[in-house]
């Protein structure tokens, strides 16, 4: 196991092996695994879509495990590491529209300035129950960060998918209120 | 609850001890400072009309006047985690610093591992290990909800744990919050009384010795290991320390705590233990209105 990793023929860097975590390359020039997002693309995504400053991720490295599932990790590891988890899930890539996770919205979404939809108390309540609701929104369609007011400040609740006048809650079942 | 009578000679007020063991526990939570300051969390609780009482010994521990904190906004946002008061102690005693390498050998469902992360300001590395994959999924859920990003999660038997996945050779600090007979959780789980047997105490003690030995080996010289259980049985507490003291290079050292406690016991049912086990602390339910607990701090030698 450690031979693979330390050798240079690092599996996690060559192909996308399911149970291993491969570290994202900094830029496309360094990409060895086809289809893997780069750190640059991830930073650009959060900046362009949500206005989250790149510096918000300074303490974190990005990793892929399985096809397209990205993780954010603050600790030490080498690419190709075989563990159950590294940090928190961040973003689903390798699909037309990238989808940030609820954890990412809560942990990093406080710095977002764009594509944030502010919900009133009853809307926020319905959102965390997983309900879809008709809401006015004249911004972009697609994945938004839903937020509400808590202790006097805007606080992200998670990710919603806005389409055709409707905000769909994508809060995972295990985090929903019932 | 007859099994508690076993400890009559250890506890000075046996009646109060048994009475406390049959009372339900207060609702206690820990503020997850990775997500919000204590101040902001208190503001959110005020806004929600939820009453709280702070704990003098730990500014992140609160007693709430609701039974189910899970249905409150601060909980949804990962600002709060339900954690019994005394179980916030071992991570505080381990006292990890920023950027350190820390091992939580028996980590699921992750109350203490995520607390270690918060104490490290979510920097450095906390390796959260557990042998039970099902319980690890609860830990993963908690880590996601609390937004803890410095956890690496592994699933292995801690008794022969290998650091080979990681780019370092030893940990700075290790927590062993061992599997145990859980006598001290009787206040929230009545089944403990029916399930108790001396055979179980003795067999789990074997596992505890194996895990604590490996923890000492995997921690660098001069590093710290904290051993904790939620049980009263000296077989699972002082006897485990005594065993590891003779098998590995380490010492049991004293630590300060404002929680009322009794010292570790030096003898039990004919067995005599190393005198330094007295530096360990026993927490009985009637002293601080908590669950029962045991906690020891070890320093790793050369
Ligand atoms: C008291 S619980 C840990 C609670 C946890 N520290 C917390 O704060 O949430 C003990 C854990 O040890 C695990 N365990 C039992 N035997 C083990 C072993 N040999 N190696 C690793 N973990 C083990 C159990 O699955 C259980 O989750």
């Amino acid at each position: 196991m450690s031979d693979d990793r330390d050798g240079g023929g690092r599996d996690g860097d060559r192909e996308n092996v399911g149970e291993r975590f491969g570290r994202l390359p900094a830029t496309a020039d360094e990409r060895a695994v086809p289809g893997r997002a780069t750190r640059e693309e991830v930073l650009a995504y959060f900046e362009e879509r949500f206005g989250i400053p790149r510096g918000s991720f300074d303490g974190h490295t990005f990793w892929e495990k399985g096809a397209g599932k990205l993780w954010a990790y603050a600790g030490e590891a080498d690419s190709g590491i075989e563990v159950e988890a590294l940090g928190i899930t961040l973003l689903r890539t390798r699909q037309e529209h990238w989808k940030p996770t609820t954890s990412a919205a809560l942990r990093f979404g406080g710095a977002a300035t764009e594509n944030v939809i502010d919900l009133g108390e009853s809307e926020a309540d319905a959102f965390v129950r997983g309900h879809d609701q008709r809401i006015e929104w004249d911004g972009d369609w697609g994945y938004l960060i839903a937020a509400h007011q808590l202790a006097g400040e805007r606080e992200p609740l998670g990710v919603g998918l806005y389409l055709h006048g409707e905000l769909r809650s994508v809060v995972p079942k295990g985090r929903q209120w019932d | 609850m007859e099994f508690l009578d076993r400890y009559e000679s250890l506890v000075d007020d046996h009646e109060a001890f048994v009475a406390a063991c049959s009372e339900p526990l207060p609702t206690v939570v820990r503020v997850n400072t990775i997500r919000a300051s204590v101040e902001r969390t208190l503001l959110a609780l005020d806004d929600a009309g939820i009453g709280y009482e702070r704990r003098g010994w730990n500014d992140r521990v609160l007693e709430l006047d609701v039974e189910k904190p899970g249905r409150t906004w601060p909980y949804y946002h990962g600002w709060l985690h339900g954690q019994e008061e005394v179980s916030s102690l071992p991570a505080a005693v381990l006292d990890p610093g920023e950027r350190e390498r820390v091992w939580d050998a028996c980590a699921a469902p992750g109350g203490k591992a995520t607390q270690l992360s918060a104490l490290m300001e979510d920097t450095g590395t906390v390796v959260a290990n557990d042998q039970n994959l099902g319980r690890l999924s609860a830990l993963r859920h908690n880590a996601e909800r609390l937004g803890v990003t410095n956890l690496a999660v592994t699933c292995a038997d801690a008794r022969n744990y290998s650091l080979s996945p990681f780019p370092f050779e030893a940990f700075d600090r290790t927590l062993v919050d061992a599997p145990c007979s859980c006598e001290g959780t009787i206040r929230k789980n009545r089944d403990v009384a029916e399930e108790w047997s001396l055979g179980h105490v003795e067999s789990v003690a074997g596992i505890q010795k194996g895990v604590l030995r490996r923890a000492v080996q995997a921690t660098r010289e001069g590093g710290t290991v904290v051993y904790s259980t939620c049980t009263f049985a000296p077989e699972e507490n002082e006897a485990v320390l005594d065993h590891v003291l003779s098998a590995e290079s380490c010492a049991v050292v004293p630590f300060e705590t404002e929680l009322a406690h009794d010292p570790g016991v030096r003898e039990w049912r004919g067995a005599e233990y190393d005198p330094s086990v007295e530096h360990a602390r026993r927490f009985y339910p009637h002293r601080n209105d908590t669950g029962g607990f045991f906690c020891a701090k070890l320093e790793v030698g050369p």
Side-chain angles (χ1 to χ4, degrees):
Chain A
M1 210 203 313
S2 56
D3 290 343
D4 286 344
R5 211 185 54 232
D6 301 330
R10 306 191 293 183
D11 272 2
D13 285 351
R14 251 187 289 117
E15 55 188 297
N16 193 49
V17 181
E19 60 285 3
R20 293 182 177 206
F21 282 83
R23 188 161 166 177
L24 297 204
T27 62
D29 291 346
E30 288 165 39
R31 175 158 36 210
V33 180
R36 178 168 288 170
T38 65
R39 180 174 179 88
E40 172 54 33
E41 286 165 351
V42 172
L43 295 177
Y45 169 80
F46 281 111
E47 183 175 51
E48 284 159 25
R49 177 83 196 163
F50 299 110
I52 298 176
R54 286 163 179 254
S56 308
F57 300 98
D58 277 354
H60 294 93
T61 50
F62 299 146
W63 303 75
E64 183 178 41
K65 183 196 192 193
K69 201 175 177 191
L70 303 195
W71 301 62
Y73 177 52
E76 291 175 71
D78 288 333
S79 197
I81 186 172
E82 265 184 88
V83 289
E84 300 299 319
L86 281 186
I88 59 170
T89 56
L90 181 73
L91 183 64
R92 169 70 71 170
T93 62
R94 297 191 194 245
Q95 54 191 24
E96 191 186 345
H97 297 288
W98 286 8
K99 179 185 173 190
T101 63
T102 299
S103 304
L106 268 73
R107 180 66 164 76
F108 299 106
T113 54
E114 283 165 58
N115 288 311
V116 180
I117 184 165
D118 290 297
L119 303 182
E121 262 327 75
S122 63
E123 292 165 337
D125 194 84
F127 182 84
V128 301
R129 286 171 201 279
H131 300 168
D132 303 337
Q133 39 193 331
R134 298 206 70 77
I135 290 182
E136 298 257 336
W137 167 253
D138 50 19
D140 285 356
W141 288 14
Y143 292 115
L144 307 179
I145 290 176
H148 73 146
Q149 288 290 317
L150 184 61
E153 281 170 51
R154 182 194 247 181
E155 196 60 36
L157 286 161
V159 176
L161 178 59
Y162 194 87
L163 293 170
H164 306 289
E166 190 183 60
L167 181 70
R168 296 187 194 160
S169 166
V170 301
V171 175
K173 281 256 162 0
R175 279 161 94 143
Q176 287 176 13
W177 286 356
D178 44 38
Chain B
M1 298 217 295
E2 294 87 69
F3 73 94
L4 293 175
D5 294 339
R6 231 179 150 232
Y7 306 117
E8 198 161 353
S9 65
L10 301 183
V11 190
D12 57 11
D13 190 349
H14 189 68
E15 240 169 73
F17 169 64
V18 173
C21 286
S22 40
E23 289 292 316
L25 280 169
T27 305
V28 175
V29 294
R30 174 173 59 80
V31 177
N32 172 33
T33 49
I34 293 172
R35 295 288 293 113
S37 65
V38 174
E39 212 178 18
R40 192 146 180 247
T41 305
L42 297 183
L43 212 59
L45 290 170
D46 287 338
D47 285 355
I50 298 166
Y52 52 82
E53 216 177 82
R54 303 190 63 171
R55 287 293 188 262
W57 71 276
N58 188 326
D59 63 352
R60 299 176 185 189
V61 173
L62 308 172
E63 179 178 343
L64 300 185
D65 72 357
V66 289
E67 253 170 65
K68 292 209 165 90
R71 284 294 169 273
T72 65
W73 283 124
Y75 185 90
Y76 174 82
H77 284 279
W79 298 5
L80 294 178
H81 186 64
Q83 189 168 338
E84 209 271 296
E85 176 169 0
V86 74
S87 91
S88 282
L89 180 71
V93 172
L94 193 63
D95 193 25
E98 288 181 36
R99 314 214 165 266
E100 287 191 333
R101 296 158 177 166
V102 176
W103 184 30
D104 188 343
C106 304
K112 299 175 194 76
T114 54
Q115 182 186 4
L116 291 168
S117 295
L119 292 170
M120 296 160 74
E121 311 281 356
D122 204 19
T123 69
T125 304
V126 176
V127 175
N129 176 71
D130 202 279
Q131 196 183 28
N132 183 319
L133 202 55
R135 288 174 63 92
L136 274 183
S137 85
L139 176 143
R140 283 281 307 126
H141 177 81
N142 286 324
E144 293 275 339
R145 190 177 63 77
L146 298 171
V148 173
T149 63
N150 72 344
L151 283 188
V153 179
T154 63
C155 183
D157 186 334
R159 289 173 290 186
N160 46 30
Y161 194 76
S162 162
L163 278 79
S164 69
F166 297 97
F168 47 80
E169 315 276 282
F171 294 102
D172 297 305
R173 291 168 207 268
T174 299
L175 174 64
V176 176
D177 183 44
C180 67
S181 59
C182 297
E183 294 165 345
T185 65
I186 182 87
R187 297 182 66 178
K188 71 171 176 220
N189 182 9
R190 298 276 126 201
D191 297 341
V192 165
E194 274 100 82
E195 286 160 13
W196 191 93
S197 78
L198 188 56
H200 179 234
V201 168
E202 282 162 357
S203 80
V204 81
I207 299 170
Q208 292 160 342
K209 288 171 185 165
V211 175
L212 186 57
R213 281 192 68 170
R214 184 68 194 116
V216 171
Q217 294 162 1
T219 305
R220 69 166 167 80
E221 183 184 337
T224 306
V225 174
V226 165
Y227 178 75
S228 59
T229 71
C230 48
T231 215
F232 308 115
E235 291 92 335
E236 299 179 56
N237 294 322
E238 290 86 350
V240 173
L241 297 177
D242 183 71
H243 171 84
V244 174
L245 282 170
S246 62
E248 302 292 336
S249 172
C250 61
V252 180
V253 296
F255 64 89
E256 296 299 318
T257 172
E258 285 171 38
L259 288 170
H261 57 268
D262 289 40
V265 299
R266 279 181 55 179
E267 43 182 69
W268 174 246
R269 302 203 153 186
E272 269 192 48
Y273 307 130
D274 187 285
S276 68
V277 303
E278 266 183 355
H279 296 316
R281 313 273 185 234
R282 303 184 138 256
F283 299 88
Y284 294 116
H286 58 300
R287 298 264 201 261
N288 307 286
D289 193 13
T290 63
F293 214 72
F294 178 87
C295 187
K297 182 178 179 182
L298 289 84
E299 222 168 71
V300 177

